[in-house]
Amino acid sequence: MNYSAKVMDHFMNPRNVGEISDADGIGEVGNPVCGDIMKIYLKIDDNRIQDVKFNTFGCGSAIASSSMATELIKGKTLEEAWELSNKAVAEALDGLPPVKMHCSVLAEQAVHKAINNYRIANGLSPWDYKEHGDIHALAPDEQ
Amino acid sequence: MSDNHVYLDYSATTYIKPEVLAAMRPYLDTYFGNPSSIYALARITEQAIGQSREQVAAALNAAKNEIYFTGGGSEADNWALKGVAFANKQWGNHIITTKIEHHAILHTCEFLAQHGFEITYLPVDSEGLVDVDSLRQAITAKTILVSIMFANNEIGTIQPIAAIGKLCREKGIYFHTDAVQAVGHVPIDVQAMNIDLLSLAGHKFYGPKGVGALYIRKGVKIDNLIHGGGQERGKRAGTENIAGIVGLGQALELATTDIETENQRLTRLRDKLIAGLTAIPHSRLNGPVGAKRLPGNVNVCFRFIEGESMLLLLDSVGVSASSGSACTAGSLEPSHVLLAIGLTHEIAHGSLRLTLGAGTTEQDVDYVLEVLPGIVRKLRNMSPLWKEFLNKGGTKL
Ligand SMILES: Cc1ncc(COP(=O)(O)O)c(C=O)c1O
């Protein structure tokens, strides 16, 4: 497996690892059967992501994608963070091998889930989110 | 990349030993003649191939004319299965194998199933062992071939090959064994073990890659796989890979000569490594202990973490290893072998295989035992499964 230097950096030195005990929004995606689970914690103040942490069970690219996603949304408004796409995560990592693109999709989904978790907890209606289909079976042009 | 380099993936492939390389070299430049030609240069290469054939035969207690060189282990497996299946289909269409074979066997069986053959995949127990009685029960009047691997490439389980061979001989059914992981590492006697066909590959015992052999007991009915010229007594076409064949024979002779002392050395290192790794909490050994396990095989699962991330961190400190996690297989499913011995997907994803060999020292083992606990801890500390386990009252390390 040939990972970019960026992926290796975020894997070896992941940013924002941990939990937030009084998180305002939590998003967990994936399952242990597939071999990857991502859990993202958000601390939100004034509609802005003040802090973000993650825990991930998974391969190198799953850990690097979580790390990069948390970096990309830190300090952003919820509207800005909602725009985070799996492509943006992968590009920020200088690309992911095709078989690993689903890791970036997991990161996107975890962020969306955490934001909607916050919205629901605060009596707001969740934003519409179009799920990717079977993320393990993305056509090459979707990757 | 650290200065240390500890290669612990000898089951994937080995380096070529210097003596082997030295024996091969003249056949790449000086004695390059096509063995099928008439001149002196060709006779030299023909003799070299004959000598290698003798070396292989001696290692297996076979006759020289029962050894056929191939382009590796996968070809030998393909040939054994397809060749016997198609040549004997008037007698039946049933083949028995196991759930833990290498893909060279499993995918060939899937191909044969598309061509009218019926395949039984025997289950294995929690250590990866086939039960000879369930093999006996699986045999029908239509069974023409039993193919059971000698030793497993992932978890090192050595099958009761002599008992299986005896049963197959009594029933008059051909018995093939994929011995790619066993040859040169455990003593093999095709006569005493009643083996009819046996696959081997040079690069698992310090010979070159891309060259292997199929032992075919005299009298076994088998079709050709590779059609063409008359090489290998008309059974396997293609101008011979002379240097490769010479290297294979030389490597096998070397391996068989010091098989006992090397096995004792490796077994001790293996057991030290197993003891150290399984002392890490929430780990488990996959495969048997003791003499039923390949001397160089260690396979351990660590709960709550995933194999590929373990391999990357090991690589960053200079350790080359492998895993049965889905991510390392480039597929969705973790290793079929780990699932067959009853592991859940979740646990199978956290497997680590370390395979020891001629270059492995006690320092290598100590080094792995020094670095691995920290790697496991680092990955658990970012694993939501681990956090969940702790929250449910699991004990902190
Ligand atoms: C048990 C087993 N069978 C078959 C093979 C295939 O051998 P080769 O790679 O030489 O074709 C291997 C090697 O990976 C193996 O371990």
Side-chain angles (χ1 to χ4, degrees), chain B residues 30 109 253 315 350 369:
Chain B
T30 313
C109 285
E253 187 175 296
D315 185 41
L369 291 177

Side-chain angles (χ1 to χ4, degrees), chain A residues 1 3 8 11-12 14 17 19 32-35 37 39 55-61 63 100 136, chain B residues 304-306 308-309 312-313 316 326-327 330 332 334 345-346 349 378-379 381-385 387:
Chain A
M1 190 66 64
Y3 285 134
M8 282 311 290
F11 167 68
M12 295 296 295
V17 174
E19 298 111 287
V33 175
C34 295
I37 306 178
K39 197 166 180 182
N55 276 159
T56 290
F57 160 80
C59 59
S61 60
I63 290 168
K100 300 289 189 176
H136 289 292
Chain B
F304 316 114
I305 60 177
E306 191 277 336
E308 190 212 71
S309 47
L312 289 170
L313 288 177
S316 75
C327 272
L332 295 185
H345 281 64
E346 177 182 339
H349 282 301
K378 175 174 177 167
L379 292 171
N381 276 337
M382 59 174 117
S383 164
L385 293 173
K387 300 294 164 67

Side-chain angles (χ1 to χ4, degrees), chain B residues 11-12 71-75 77 102 104 149 151-153 178 180-181 201 203-204 210-211:
Chain B
S11 275
S74 299
E75 185 192 321
D77 283 344
H102 189 271
M149 71 198 316
N152 184 267
N153 44 305
D178 173 348
V180 167
Q181 291 289 341
H203 69 110
K204 308 288 189 184
V211 59

Side-chain angles (χ1 to χ4, degrees), chain A residues 13-125:
Chain A
N13 312 292
R15 319 327 186 230
N16 308 310
V17 174
E19 298 111 287
I20 298 175
S21 54
D22 57 344
D24 300 306
I26 297 177
E28 183 173 327
V29 293
N31 67 67
V33 175
C34 295
D36 30 35
I37 306 178
M38 246 175 234
K39 197 166 180 182
I40 286 189
Y41 300 81
L42 301 177
K43 190 77 203 146
I44 294 162
D45 197 14
D46 204 13
N47 199 45
R48 205 171 271 283
I49 297 173
Q50 304 294 346
D51 197 10
V52 49
K53 294 264 189 254
F54 81 89
N55 276 159
T56 290
F57 160 80
C59 59
S61 60
I63 290 168
S65 296
S66 323
S67 167
M68 183 52 87
T70 58
E71 284 283 274
L72 290 173
I73 62 169
K74 205 173 192 174
K76 296 277 165 67
T77 65
L78 291 186
E79 287 77 9
E80 288 165 343
W82 187 262
E83 295 305 314
L84 178 84
S85 70
N86 81 297
K87 280 211 174 80
V89 173
E91 274 164 25
L93 288 168
D94 291 341
L96 283 172
V99 295
K100 300 289 189 176
M101 278 306 283
H102 71 269
C103 294
S104 64
V105 176
L106 277 181
E108 175 194 308
Q109 289 176 341
V111 169
H112 281 120
K113 231 172 159 175
I115 291 176
N116 271 342
N117 174 258
Y118 163 79
R119 289 186 59 85
I120 292 165
N122 285 274
L124 303 164
S125 60

Side-chain angles (χ1 to χ4, degrees), chain B residues 3-21:
Chain B
D3 287 343
N4 280 307
H5 187 226
V6 176
Y7 181 79
L8 287 172
D9 206 13
Y10 283 92
S11 275
T13 196
T14 60
Y15 59 88
I16 298 183
K17 282 191 177 168
E19 309 92 299
V20 175
L21 189 57

Side-chain angles (χ1 to χ4, degrees), chain B residues 207-388:
Chain B
K209 302 177 194 5
V211 59
L214 182 64
Y215 153 78
I216 307 174
R217 190 176 55 78
K218 191 166 181 291
V220 168
K221 237 181 129 220
I222 184 167
D223 281 355
N224 285 6
L225 180 71
I226 309 286
H227 302 270
Q231 291 89 352
E232 296 297 287
R233 303 179 301 296
K235 282 196 178 299
R236 197 279 187 182
T239 300
E240 296 86 342
N241 172 7
I242 307 160
I245 289 170
V246 167
L248 185 149
Q250 194 67 25
L252 187 49
E253 187 175 296
L254 271 177
T256 355
T257 318
D258 62 16
I259 201 162
E260 263 175 45
T261 41
E262 180 63 357
N263 280 358
Q264 279 173 16
R265 190 186 76 88
L266 287 179
T267 302
R268 198 183 64 76
L269 293 179
R270 174 196 76 183
D271 291 344
K272 180 175 183 180
L273 192 51
I274 289 175
L277 294 180
T278 51
I280 296 175
H282 311 296
S283 62
R284 78 184 295 281
L285 175 71
N286 301 313
V289 292
K292 286 182 190 161
R293 183 178 201 103
L294 280 176
N297 177 286
V298 175
N299 189 314
V300 176
C301 279
F302 299 98
R303 275 183 74 191
F304 316 114
I305 60 177
E306 191 277 336
E308 190 212 71
S309 47
M310 230 184 316
L311 297 188
L312 289 170
L313 288 177
L314 279 169
D315 185 41
S316 75
V317 292
V319 179
S320 310
S322 77
S323 164
S325 89
C327 272
T328 53
S331 73
L332 295 185
E333 284 286 304
S335 142
H336 63 285
V337 176
L338 298 179
L339 297 180
I341 61 170
L343 299 194
T344 64
H345 281 64
E346 177 182 339
I347 295 193
H349 282 301
S351 80
L352 175 69
R353 183 187 75 170
L354 300 165
T355 44
L356 293 62
T360 309
T361 62
E362 182 116 27
Q363 287 93 298
D364 292 344
V365 169
D366 292 340
Y367 180 64
V368 170
L369 291 177
E370 186 190 314
V371 296
L372 201 65
I375 288 174
V376 170
R377 201 174 317 118
K378 175 174 177 167
L379 292 171
R380 280 184 180 161
N381 276 337
M382 59 174 117
S383 164
L385 293 173
W386 174 238
K387 300 294 164 67
E388 194 186 316

